[in-house]
Amino acid sequence: MTDFAISAADVHDAARRIERAAVRTPLLEYASLNERVGHRVLVKFEGVQHTGSFKFRGAYNRLSRISEDQKRHGVVAWSSGNHAQGVAAAARLLRIPATIVMPADAPTIKVSNTRSLGAEVVPYDRYTQSREEIATAISVERGAVLVPSFDDPYIIAGQGTAGLEILDQAADAGASIGRVLVCCGGGGLVAGIATAIKDRAPDIAIYSVEPQAFDDTARSLVSGTRETVPADARSICDALMAPSPGALTFPINQALLSGGLTVTDDQVRAAMRFAFQSMKLVVEPGGAVALAAALEGLAPPAEGATVAVISGGNVDPDAYAAILQG
Amino acid sequence: MTDFAISAADVHDAARRIERAAVRTPLLEYASLNERVGHRVLVKFEGVQHTGSFKFRGAYNRLSRISEDQKRHGVVAWSSGNHAQGVAAAARLLRIPATIVMPADAPTIKVSNTRSLGAEVVPYDRYTQSREEIATAISVERGAVLVPSFDDPYIIAGQGTAGLEILDQAADAGASIGRVLVCCGGGGLVAGIATAIKDRAPDIAIYSVEPQAFDDTARSLVSGTRETVPADARSICDALMAPSPGALTFPINQALLSGGLTVTDDQVRAAMRFAFQSMKLVVEPGGAVALAAALEGLAPPAEGATVAVISGGNVDPDAYAAILQG
């Protein structure tokens, strides 16, 4: 009945696959945040996932499907940093050589963490070179499996496991969820979470949240076609700089999301400061967009609690210090 | 059979009392931390407790015992900041006027949070004035109930609820605990946790951890008598600057602890940076001493996992930025 890349069954299958390897991240609640926003907010904190972001979920689900014979040829991925670390960590656990194509201006913490997880890092210029071409060339040359950062059924299903946890943890907390706000770059996380949640609770509204300058999913949801952002777009949200929605993620998001929200870089900075001061969580810029949308009250009103997904916490100390003091 | 200020039954009673008001804080595990230390480490993160530290537990337990008649006379407490906020938050929930005597050099975040919770703040000079005398005078003048920061049975029992959670959460995680490292100022948290844990699991070793310059509990455990630190002692751990062990906490700690560990301010800074980079948690200096001891491998070897209690995350942005960049 559907031609979506994944179904809820795939997310449940991914959950079983990653159960022993991934962290079941906490769903946190703060009186100070509830008071500030005026209703109940639950925060899914993926900063405590392996490698500091949700990306390990999808990467482990994908890499765990690679055959013993394929393993020795390795895997190759491109990533601004979080997918890089997720793939590197999963590859190490599964004893697969990993090569990651990363932008030369990626946060140092992401590059050095990727290297320290044993991956080979190949730098490229984010604004002039094609990471896809570089990674594809490596894949062809070495026979390595290409691991996309979002446009892959196993990746989407793996990220969706966060959605299953949200449902279970909200029930444990006695919370009825009204809406879920999810950070969105290429749309893999929100597509996976929406698939998991809508299957069990179709009345929950799901929103993607993007940086204002990378609002391709928000605009695509309105126009019904995959829009792109200008090549000169810039944002502090280095993790969310995908130029357009994915070929696999967009149809899912088009069918399941209630809309796309956007936040400014200043709203992101304010959310990072709020997370520091009132939540004691280190949140990276791209990880803070859904929290920023919650703090700004950007989603249409709904009965029940709001869930905001904080997708990661990989930020360089200098950049973080500047934002705290800004 | 014992003349201790509290028993395990008091901690269970406190747990029931605070259950609906306090946060059940997560017990977190990181592959990166396990790898760094060489064995399994579980981290109890009290930064996500109300007001950003464990202090709400004891404060709510104590204040919830105040009679309706007494309530209108209010409560008074002295504190470098975390107990202040804990008392202020509990007092607001229970509709009790609160006055807090705080050092003039307490972190701004702690003073402003205490005020924003509705408490009256009375500043004093940490090095020349007696906070006890000022608070006692207010107590006598107003008929207000004095709420000690550690030397009170309800306070100790309330803090001990973190110990009950540790036992339950470690069991859920399939971890067998070998030792528990707990931040120590006046010793209320470690005394409460030790009472809770030793009752159910007498083989678990419990250690207090203090800043090197405020090693009064470590020395007292060796000498068997309540030692004091010199008046000119200084540390970045503003939350742990109690000059001597408590009259009620020390007998408990003397009976139940396996020893007292100490860490340098530089080790504390390194632990705060580790928590930022690899754990994505904002940890204040005093909150980081047990993690620092775990990272430095200071506790004698033991079978099983190490639990490190991170007691709070209330640190000023400028101070935090300086430590990140240090």
Side-chain angles (χ1 to χ4, degrees):
Chain A
M1 71 160 255
T2 169
D3 56 356
F4 296 155
I6 67 159
S7 68
D10 295 315
V11 183
H12 287 279
D13 181 48
R16 285 186 294 272
R17 186 65 68 130
I18 74 170
E19 189 178 9
R20 297 170 65 93
V23 174
R24 183 180 164 90
T25 58
L27 188 69
L28 301 168
E29 184 170 4
Y30 297 86
S32 54
L33 178 56
N34 291 349
E35 206 164 296
R36 158 82 181 261
V37 170
H39 64 264
R40 196 168 183 187
V41 181
L42 301 167
V43 175
K44 181 71 168 167
F45 185 52
E46 287 291 299
V48 299
Q49 184 56 263
H50 295 317
T51 72
S53 88
F54 70 96
K55 291 285 192 181
F56 179 83
R57 297 174 181 271
Y60 190 88
N61 188 45
R62 176 67 191 88
L63 268 61
S64 73
R65 318 283 172 160
I66 293 177
S67 71
E68 286 304 317
D69 185 54
Q70 279 179 310
K71 275 186 179 178
R72 64 193 168 86
H73 297 292
V75 293
V76 58
W78 63 80
S79 162
S80 69
N82 283 334
H83 179 58
Q85 294 175 75
V87 170
R92 193 175 64 155
L93 279 174
L94 295 163
R95 299 172 193 281
I96 304 173
T99 306
I100 319 282
V101 181
M102 297 184 74
D105 64 350
T108 309
I109 186 176
K110 295 180 177 180
V111 177
S112 64
N113 284 349
T114 304
R115 284 212 177 94
S116 74
L117 287 164
E120 178 189 347
V121 172
V122 176
Y124 79 103
D125 184 317
R126 193 196 286 267
Y127 305 110
T128 63
Q129 292 184 287
S130 162
R131 56 191 190 178
E132 289 85 345
E133 282 173 20
I134 297 169
T136 303
I138 293 170
S139 165
V140 169
E141 181 193 316
R142 302 184 188 177
V145 175
L146 198 61
V147 183
S149 56
F150 52 85
D151 240 0
D152 176 285
Y154 291 121
I155 297 288
I156 300 170
Q159 321 304 30
T161 58
L164 296 178
E165 293 174 15
I166 287 169
L167 288 174
D168 291 345
Q169 292 167 322
D172 287 348
S176 169
I177 303 174
R179 52 193 179 183
V180 180
L181 312 183
V182 187
C183 314
C184 180
L189 179 62
V190 68
I193 287 177
T195 301
I197 289 181
K198 285 288 191 178
D199 175 62
R200 272 209 241 165
D203 291 343
I204 294 176
I206 321 261
Y207 296 88
S208 59
V209 188
E210 294 169 293
Q212 206 168 62
F214 287 81
D215 63 346
D216 46 288
T217 290
R219 286 190 288 110
S220 301
L221 289 171
V222 172
S223 73
T225 180
R226 289 165 62 207
E227 305 286 347
T228 58
V229 297
D232 63 351
R234 297 291 184 270
S235 169
I236 62 167
C237 300
D238 60 274
L240 303 181
M241 292 168 76
S244 69
L248 302 186
T249 56
F250 182 61
I252 298 172
N253 290 331
Q254 193 175 20
L256 301 182
L257 302 198
S258 295
L261 310 175
T262 63
V263 293
T264 67
D265 279 0
D266 274 349
Q267 289 171 332
V268 167
R269 290 186 186 94
M272 290 173 69
R273 284 192 289 267
F274 185 88
F276 168 82
Q277 174 130 0
S278 298
M279 302 168 72
K280 312 308 173 191
L281 304 179
V282 177
V283 181
E284 66 178 276
V289 294
L291 175 64
L295 287 168
E296 300 288 337
L298 298 184
E303 290 289 311
T306 297
V307 173
V309 177
I310 294 182
S311 55
N314 291 312
V315 51
D316 280 339
D318 287 347
Y320 192 71
I323 286 169
L324 286 192
Q325 299 176 299
Chain B
M1 74 162 251
T2 170
D3 56 357
F4 296 155
I6 68 159
S7 68
D10 295 315
V11 183
H12 287 280
D13 181 46
R16 284 185 295 272
R17 186 66 68 132
I18 73 168
E19 189 179 8
R20 296 171 65 93
V23 174
R24 183 180 165 90
T25 58
L27 187 70
L28 301 168
E29 184 171 4
Y30 297 86
S32 54
L33 177 56
N34 291 349
E35 206 164 297
R36 157 82 181 261
V37 171
H39 65 261
R40 195 168 184 187
V41 181
L42 301 166
V43 174
K44 181 70 169 168
F45 185 52
E46 287 292 298
V48 298
Q49 186 55 264
H50 295 317
T51 72
S53 87
F54 70 97
K55 291 286 192 178
F56 179 82
R57 297 175 183 271
Y60 190 88
N61 189 43
R62 176 68 191 87
L63 267 61
S64 73
R65 318 283 172 160
I66 293 176
S67 71
E68 285 304 317
D69 185 53
Q70 279 177 310
K71 276 185 179 179
R72 65 194 167 86
H73 297 292
V75 293
V76 59
W78 64 80
S79 162
S80 70
N82 283 335
H83 180 59
Q85 293 175 75
V87 170
R92 193 175 64 155
L93 280 174
L94 296 163
R95 298 171 192 282
I96 304 173
T99 306
I100 319 282
V101 180
M102 297 184 74
D105 64 351
T108 309
I109 186 175
K110 294 180 177 179
V111 176
S112 64
N113 284 349
T114 304
R115 284 211 176 95
S116 74
L117 288 163
E120 179 189 347
V121 172
V122 176
Y124 79 102
D125 184 318
R126 194 195 285 267
Y127 305 109
T128 62
Q129 292 185 286
S130 162
R131 57 190 191 177
E132 290 85 344
E133 282 173 19
I134 297 168
T136 303
I138 293 169
S139 165
V140 169
E141 181 192 316
R142 302 183 186 176
V145 175
L146 198 59
V147 183
S149 57
F150 52 85
D151 240 358
D152 175 285
Y154 291 120
I155 297 288
I156 300 169
Q159 322 303 32
T161 58
L164 296 178
E165 293 174 16
I166 287 169
L167 288 174
D168 291 346
Q169 293 168 321
D172 288 347
S176 169
I177 303 174
R179 53 195 179 183
V180 180
L181 313 183
V182 187
C183 314
C184 180
L189 179 62
V190 67
I193 287 176
T195 301
I197 289 181
K198 284 289 191 178
D199 175 62
R200 272 208 241 165
D203 291 343
I204 295 177
I206 320 261
Y207 295 89
S208 59
V209 188
E210 295 169 293
Q212 206 169 61
F214 287 82
D215 63 346
D216 45 287
T217 290
R219 286 191 287 110
S220 301
L221 289 171
V222 172
S223 73
T225 178
R226 290 164 62 206
E227 305 285 347
T228 59
V229 296
D232 63 351
R234 297 290 184 271
S235 168
I236 62 166
C237 300
D238 60 274
L240 303 181
M241 293 168 75
S244 69
L248 301 185
T249 55
F250 182 62
I252 298 172
N253 290 332
Q254 194 174 21
L256 301 182
L257 301 198
S258 295
L261 310 174
T262 64
V263 293
T264 67
D265 279 1
D266 275 349
Q267 289 171 332
V268 167
R269 290 186 187 95
M272 290 172 69
R273 284 192 289 266
F274 185 89
F276 167 82
Q277 175 130 0
S278 298
M279 303 168 71
K280 312 307 172 191
L281 304 180
V282 177
V283 181
E284 66 177 278
V289 294
L291 175 63
L295 286 169
E296 300 288 337
L298 299 183
E303 290 288 312
T306 297
V307 173
V309 177
I310 294 182
S311 55
N314 291 312
V315 51
D316 280 338
D318 287 347
Y320 192 70
I323 287 169
L324 287 192
Q325 300 176 297

